């Protein structure tokens, strides 16, 4: 928001940690796992295009014209993994590795199948009108535009939000925390730091995590 003027949208040059995490959650997600973005490879050069949009005004029946600046012809390779989320004590039985229906390989295979099918939910890049598509790939394969480009620093940028159901410290419990960092792209690859390694953070607001209740028949089966 601090880079916007007049309410008009403008794309960042590189995808943020939070945007890539949201795409993975649209592919496959459950409250007992947390997606961790390891690195992203930018395949295509940075190209911008301006798009005029007619948007309704907040007051009155008239419309207004806005000029949005979007990245065009975007393509990325993403490497990520998931970890157990221990911020839901009510789902302890679902995290129990002794249960026969819980093992990491199962969820890994489900994730791979969902990528092959394009995800469980619609994929979009940053905003709803920018439709995205996913498919499996091998990280590092193919020729990228920035393969021999060296280092490109992007300065201070938005990393993501830490929600209370993914809190990693006492400071991030019971609130939404914004994270900032200074990414550097090396030969087209950006290696993300973990949320807990971000030193520039700011509490946005207080919020309690959402709770999930297991069905009674499933509780009896677990017991």
């Amino acid at each position: 928001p601090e880079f916007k003027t007049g309410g008009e949208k403008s794309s960042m040059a590189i995808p943020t940690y939070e945007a890539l995490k949201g795409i993975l959650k649209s592919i496959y997600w459950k409250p007992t796992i947390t997606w961790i973005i390891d690195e992203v490879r930018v395949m295509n050069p940075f190209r911008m295009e301006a798009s005029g949009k007619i948007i309704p005004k907040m007051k009155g029946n008239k419309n207004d014209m806005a000029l949005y600046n979007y990245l065009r012809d975007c393509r990325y390779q993403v490497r990520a993994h998931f970890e157990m989320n221990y911020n839901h004590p009510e789902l302890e039985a679902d995290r129990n590795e002794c249960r026969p229906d819980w093992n990491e390989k199962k969820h890994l295979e489900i994730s791979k199948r969902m990528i092959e099918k394009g995800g469980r939910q619609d994929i979009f890049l940053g905003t709803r009108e920018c439709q995205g598509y996913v498919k499996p790939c091998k990280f590092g394969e193919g020729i990228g535009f920035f393969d021999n480009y060296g280092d490109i620093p992007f300065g201070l940028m938005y990393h993501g939000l830490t929600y209370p159901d993914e809190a990693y410290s006492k400071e991030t419990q019971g609130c939404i925390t914004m994270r900032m960092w200074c990414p550097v792209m090396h030969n087209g690859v950006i290696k993300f730091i973990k949320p807990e390694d971000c030193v520039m953070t700011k509490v946005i607001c207080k919020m309690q995590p959402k709770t999930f209740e297991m069905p009674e028949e499933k509780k009896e089966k677990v017991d």
Side-chain angles (χ1 to χ4, degrees):
E2 61 268 30
F3 302 114
K4 295 181 181 179
T5 57
E8 297 180 344
K9 297 178 182 178
S10 180
S11 298
M12 294 183 178
I14 56 176
T16 63
Y17 182 98
E18 190 71 20
L20 296 175
K21 182 179 177 181
I23 292 174
L24 281 167
K25 291 174 71 173
S26 296
I27 294 171
Y28 177 68
W29 176 83
K30 64 178 302 182
T32 48
I33 66 173
T34 299
W35 281 105
I36 305 296
I37 311 300
D38 298 316
E39 50 189 338
V40 61
R41 184 182 179 210
V42 182
M43 301 297 292
N44 293 348
F46 302 136
R47 294 193 179 100
M48 303 292 292
E49 68 177 13
S51 177
K53 302 290 183 181
I54 298 177
I55 55 177
K57 288 187 175 180
M58 298 301 294
K59 295 182 180 181
N61 298 323
K62 296 182 179 180
N63 295 328
D64 200 359
M65 176 67 74
L67 189 65
Y68 294 172
N69 293 304
Y70 289 147
L71 280 172
R72 62 183 296 267
D73 192 23
C74 302
R75 187 162 60 97
Y76 309 101
Q77 293 180 353
V78 181
R79 175 178 284 158
H81 69 280
F82 58 80
E83 297 178 358
M84 299 283 291
N85 186 355
Y86 293 95
N87 287 288
H88 289 285
E90 73 278 8
L91 298 177
E92 182 178 357
D94 191 52
R95 288 193 303 268
N96 188 354
E97 297 183 10
C98 296
R99 290 187 58 194
D101 61 338
W102 165 263
N103 68 63
E104 294 181 357
K105 184 177 179 181
K106 180 189 75 172
H107 294 286
L108 178 61
E109 294 301 323
I110 294 176
S111 302
K112 290 180 178 179
R113 291 198 300 269
M114 292 302 102
I115 291 175
E116 292 175 354
K117 293 181 180 296
R120 287 186 169 181
Q121 301 177 13
D122 290 343
I123 306 297
F124 55 93
L125 304 178
T127 184
R128 191 64 181 87
E129 62 263 25
C130 298
Q131 189 74 28
Y133 303 93
V134 296
K135 63 180 181 179
C137 70
K138 184 178 180 181
F139 193 89
E141 68 178 0
I143 299 175
F145 181 81
F146 297 97
D147 285 351
N148 300 305
Y149 221 83
D151 292 346
I152 302 178
F154 290 92
L156 184 65
M157 286 191 66
Y158 170 77
H159 186 274
L161 293 175
T162 300
Y163 293 94
D165 61 341
E166 295 181 349
Y168 51 82
S169 64
K170 291 183 179 180
E171 291 76 14
T172 56
Q173 291 179 351
C175 60
I176 299 178
T177 307
M178 182 181 68
R179 309 184 305 271
M180 305 290 288
W181 75 313
C182 296
V184 176
M185 185 171 69
H186 177 67
N187 291 335
V189 177
I190 301 171
K191 294 185 178 181
F192 288 100
I193 60 176
K194 284 191 173 184
E196 55 265 32
D197 294 331
C198 291
V199 297
M200 293 175 284
T201 61
K202 181 180 179 180
V203 175
I204 302 300
C205 64
K206 299 292 184 181
M207 181 180 179
Q208 294 302 317
K210 179 181 178 180
T211 58
F212 298 87
E213 294 295 336
M214 295 179 63
E216 293 297 329
E217 60 272 13
K218 195 170 184 179
K219 289 183 179 179
E220 295 176 359
K221 185 182 297 185
V222 172
D223 295 338

